[in-house]
Amino acid sequence: SSGINAEYGDPYTHKKDLCAMCGSIGVKEDALLLICQQCAKSYHSYCVNKVVNDAMLRTGWRCKDCQVCESCSEPTDESRLLLCEDCDVSFHTYCLTPPLEQVPTGPWRCSWCVKCVKCQKNTPGVHATWYEGYTVCGPCHSQVVCLVCKQEHTKGEFCVKCSSCEHLIHGKCENIPNEDSLPKKFVCTLCEEHLKKEGKTPPKKLQSTTFSATKQALNSVKHDARIAAYMDKDEKEFEAERQESEKNRILNYDYIKALNKQRH
């Protein structure tokens, strides 16, 4: 965690008391003491191995003898009581929003202190969780490890990015071997499962219109004169027609927009 410059006027710090742990006042900047908001005892931040941060000054600080859940105000059920790695605030796993099903195996950080060290976001992502001691969000973690198979990505391996959760996934884990098979709007299998649980219908996976994908689709239907004409085209001709069609679509849109403007 990164420290901030606390001042003597801050409500949860002061300089004219003895540290309850080392029994001294301290010298210069070390004279600044943290006050427990429960028992009012004072401690040097270095005596309790803490760097004073914004969360401590904004919400207050409790010593370990006075720890209670900040949601239900109960000190009971200590096996489910989490202690923030940075500011020492405590919450029961079931008092969090959303609640945690299990106690994290490593460090845990509260919503006031948690932040991804890579993208600086304060949330883990859509349908995601925190990694590496609540320091890396789901999408950033997926840039190294596949969300589905939990294996690291290798150089040159084809991967796809979910348009919903923004996780990076091996193409083979989603039965998408190459770019030609990639839908226009790709939603990963895990996001589809979440949507179904929420009673929502996952978006239809519209196939891409690349040259290879179009050829493959035409091969699967009965040939007629128009289809035969497309089958005889090479990739450059196909791409030129696609660009011309897109250009005409934009021109038509601009014309209709201008016409509507004149009418109004």
Side-chain angles (χ1 to χ4, degrees), residues 31-83:
L32 194 65
L33 296 159
L34 283 171
I35 312 169
C36 173
Q37 60 176 308
Q38 188 75 20
C39 66
K41 290 181 180 179
S42 303
Y43 296 85
H44 290 124
S45 59
Y46 56 82
C47 284
V48 290
N49 296 319
K50 290 296 169 184
V51 176
V52 179
N53 63 18
D54 184 63
M56 291 180 180
L57 299 179
R58 186 174 66 250
T59 64
W61 174 82
R62 299 179 194 271
C63 66
K64 290 189 177 181
D65 293 332
C66 298
Q67 293 296 334
V68 296
C69 175
E70 297 296 331
S71 179
C72 68
S73 301
E74 293 293 335
T76 55
D77 200 3
E78 292 185 5
S79 63
R80 306 287 291 183
L81 193 61
L82 302 178
L83 184 68

Side-chain angles (χ1 to χ4, degrees), residues 22-192:
C22 70
S24 68
I25 296 176
V27 180
K28 296 182 180 179
E29 66 271 10
D30 291 343
L32 194 65
L33 296 159
L34 283 171
I35 312 169
C36 173
Q37 60 176 308
Q38 188 75 20
C39 66
K41 290 181 180 179
S42 303
Y43 296 85
H44 290 124
S45 59
Y46 56 82
C47 284
V48 290
N49 296 319
K50 290 296 169 184
V51 176
V52 179
N53 63 18
D54 184 63
M56 291 180 180
L57 299 179
R58 186 174 66 250
T59 64
W61 174 82
R62 299 179 194 271
C63 66
K64 290 189 177 181
D65 293 332
C66 298
Q67 293 296 334
V68 296
C69 175
E70 297 296 331
S71 179
C72 68
S73 301
E74 293 293 335
T76 55
D77 200 3
E78 292 185 5
S79 63
R80 306 287 291 183
L81 193 61
L82 302 178
L83 184 68
C84 178
E85 183 75 8
D86 293 339
C87 71
D88 281 349
V89 73
S90 296
F91 283 93
H92 288 120
T93 55
Y94 43 81
C95 289
L96 292 169
T97 304
L100 290 178
E101 295 182 1
Q102 297 180 340
V103 176
T105 55
W108 172 81
R109 288 173 170 81
C110 69
S111 58
W112 295 307
C113 296
V114 71
K115 180 183 290 187
C116 178
V117 296
K118 295 184 178 181
C119 68
Q120 303 301 308
K121 290 184 179 179
N122 299 98
T123 59
V126 179
H127 307 145
T129 185
W130 289 101
Y131 295 88
E132 300 180 29
Y134 281 71
T135 59
V136 179
C137 69
C140 288
H141 178 73
S142 74
Q143 294 177 11
V144 179
V145 178
C146 174
L147 176 68
V148 178
C149 68
K150 312 301 181 186
Q151 299 297 315
E152 291 188 2
H153 301 298
T154 57
K155 187 176 181 179
E157 193 170 28
F158 179 69
C159 295
V160 292
K161 186 177 183 180
C162 177
S163 61
S164 177
C165 66
E166 298 185 340
H167 283 79
L168 199 63
I169 303 168
H170 290 138
K172 61 184 179 182
C173 292
E174 290 285 350
N175 295 320
I176 303 175
N178 50 51
E179 189 175 355
D180 291 338
S181 306
L182 182 64
K184 287 184 176 179
K185 186 176 182 180
F186 167 67
V187 177
C188 70
T189 304
L190 295 178
C191 280
E192 286 185 342

Side-chain angles (χ1 to χ4, degrees), residues 190-222:
L190 295 178
C191 280
E192 286 185 342
E193 292 175 357
H194 279 287
L195 289 172
K196 289 177 181 178
K197 288 180 182 178
E198 295 170 1
K200 300 177 182 178
T201 304
K204 293 182 179 180
K205 294 184 177 180
L206 300 176
Q207 295 298 318
S208 61
T209 55
T210 61
F211 176 73
S212 299
T214 303
K215 284 275 191 178
Q216 185 178 0
L218 292 175
N219 274 323
S220 64
V221 299
K222 184 178 180 180

